[in-house]
């Protein structure tokens, strides 16, 4: 999958190419990243990319001409890509959205700076708008990184053999269970004995029960929208009883 990102801070996106799972995916050509900087499309000596808002008020906006020129170049290179603007006003990006976007062959992401972009650019170029959550960031670069990271790891061939177990997890829409590695006793605290038992059914049940219990404690709304199998209901009831007893 090909990602084009229009950004005044291309260096912020580079880290993704160099690091971990996503770095390897880009190395293996599972995904490709192309960066477009509006500053490269300015014509004045100061290379101006911002301007004051009509109507007054604090803050600056990205001025339309260099931004539009950068987006047009990105579109010429990626003619089939939809143009996505990262903005606090957009649709909330979640795991479902990540799976939707992972079906595409290409997308162009616009990372805004300052208070945002001139609305006429949005009107003529933008196909969709995405937010990563209800908190205030300084620009769209971190959201672009979040979206690309979440999508790339879903692409076929992105994860190595060690990671791929995570992907076919049966625990979709449940919180993860606790994990332990060596030593068996750390600072006087032992690993739960079931994990050392070699009984794979018992281990599977324990992990599922922990996942259900944690989700019930921390994110109960996830359980209401999911529904439970008969086995899951029994495991959760047992967890709740133990919780009330302890
Ligand atoms: C006057 C109110 N503005 C600043 C306090 C609104 C505002 C403008 C620009 C708030 C944030 C930003 C920059 N944010 C993004 O570009 C952004 C974002 C975010 O801040 N949170 C969650 N998702 C996203 S996607 C893009």
């Amino acid at each position: 999958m090909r990602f084009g990102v229009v950004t005044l801070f291309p260096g912020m996106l580079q880290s993704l190419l160099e690091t971990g799972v996503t770095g390897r995916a880009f190395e293996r050509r599972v995904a490709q990243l192309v960066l477009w900087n509006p500053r490269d499309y300015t014509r004045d000596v100061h290379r101006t990319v911002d301007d004051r808002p009509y109507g007054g008020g604090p803050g600056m906006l990205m001025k339309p001409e260099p931004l539009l020129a950068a987006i047009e170049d990105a579109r010429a290179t990626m003619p089939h890509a939809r143009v996505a603007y990262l903005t606090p006003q957009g649709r909330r990006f979640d795991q479902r959205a990540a799976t939707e976007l992972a079906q595409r062959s290409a997308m162009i992401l616009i990372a805004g700076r300052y208070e945002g972009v001139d609305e006429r650019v949005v009107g003529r170029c933008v196909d969709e708008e995405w937010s990563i959550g209800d908190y205030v960031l300084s620009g769209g670069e971190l959201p672009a990184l979040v979206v690309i990271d979440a999508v790339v790891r879903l692409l076929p061939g992105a994860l190595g053999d060690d990671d791929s177990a995570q992907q076919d997890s049966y625990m979709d829409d449940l919180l993860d269970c606790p994990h332990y590695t060596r030593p068996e006793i750390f600072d006087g605290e032992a690993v739960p004995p079931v994990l050392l038992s070699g009984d794979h059914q018992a281990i599977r049940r324990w992990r599922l029960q922990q996942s259900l219990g944690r989700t019930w404690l921390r994110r109960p709304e996830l359980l209401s929208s999911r529904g439970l199998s008969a086995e899951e209901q029994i495991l959760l009831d047992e967890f709740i009883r133990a919780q009330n007893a302890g």
Side-chain angles (χ1 to χ4, degrees):
M1 180 169 178
R2 192 178 219 194
F3 297 90
V5 182
V6 177
T7 170
L8 291 171
F9 298 103
M12 286 185 73
L13 276 296
Q14 300 280 357
S15 59
L16 203 67
L17 296 171
E18 295 157 13
T19 314
V21 163
T22 52
R24 279 190 295 281
F26 285 108
E27 211 169 84
R28 292 194 204 124
R29 302 291 184 96
V30 167
Q32 191 189 356
L33 182 64
V34 192
L35 300 170
W36 308 93
N37 189 343
R39 202 173 292 279
D40 296 335
Y41 296 84
T42 54
R43 294 160 164 280
D44 63 314
V45 281
H46 301 294
R47 309 185 78 196
T48 310
V49 291
D50 62 335
D51 208 341
R52 304 193 322 257
Y54 277 119
M60 299 290 272
L61 295 171
M62 289 180 82
K63 64 191 269 91
E65 300 92 333
L67 177 60
L68 188 70
I71 297 169
E72 290 301 351
D73 249 11
R75 280 214 288 210
T77 304
M78 304 170 58
H80 303 295
R82 288 169 65 87
V83 175
Y85 175 36
L86 297 157
T87 165
Q89 283 76 50
R91 171 180 161 194
R92 172 72 65 87
F93 180 77
D94 59 12
Q95 191 61 28
R96 175 188 299 273
T99 62
E100 288 175 27
L101 297 184
Q103 306 307 307
R104 303 181 182 178
S105 59
M107 69 185 299
I108 295 169
L109 298 164
I110 303 176
R113 277 278 150 174
Y114 318 115
E115 290 303 307
V117 314
D118 187 289
E119 192 64 23
R120 292 164 294 186
V121 175
V122 177
R124 63 190 63 196
C125 300
V126 170
D127 299 309
E128 55 197 60
E129 303 188 6
W130 294 96
S131 163
I132 64 163
D134 293 338
Y135 35 81
V136 180
L137 301 170
S138 311
E141 284 78 10
L142 288 172
L145 285 166
V146 166
V147 168
I148 296 170
D149 185 284
V151 171
V152 164
R153 58 194 305 292
L154 296 175
L155 299 176
L159 298 190
D161 291 339
D162 285 0
D163 310 297
S164 50
Q166 281 173 253
Q167 246 190 347
D168 50 78
S169 170
Y170 56 93
M171 291 190 204
D172 280 353
D173 25 279
L174 289 182
L175 299 185
D176 206 358
C177 62
H179 302 286
Y180 299 87
T181 186
R182 293 186 295 178
E184 208 175 301
I185 297 175
F186 170 70
D187 197 19
E189 188 177 347
V191 171
V194 64
L195 297 177
L196 310 176
S197 68
D199 181 343
H200 297 294
Q201 270 299 350
I203 292 168
R204 184 193 64 79
R205 276 197 307 272
W206 181 84
R207 286 180 168 157
L208 179 55
Q209 181 170 56
Q210 291 294 312
S211 282
L212 290 161
R214 283 181 153 190
T215 308
W216 175 74
L217 286 171
R218 303 181 190 186
R219 298 288 303 279
E221 80 282 6
L222 293 180
L223 288 183
S224 356
S225 54
R226 182 179 181 274
L228 298 180
S229 72
E231 182 197 31
E232 289 170 348
Q233 190 64 63
I234 290 166
L235 289 170
L236 180 56
D237 288 345
E238 188 182 76
F239 181 96
I240 293 170
R241 259 183 280 122
Q243 184 81 11
N244 291 336

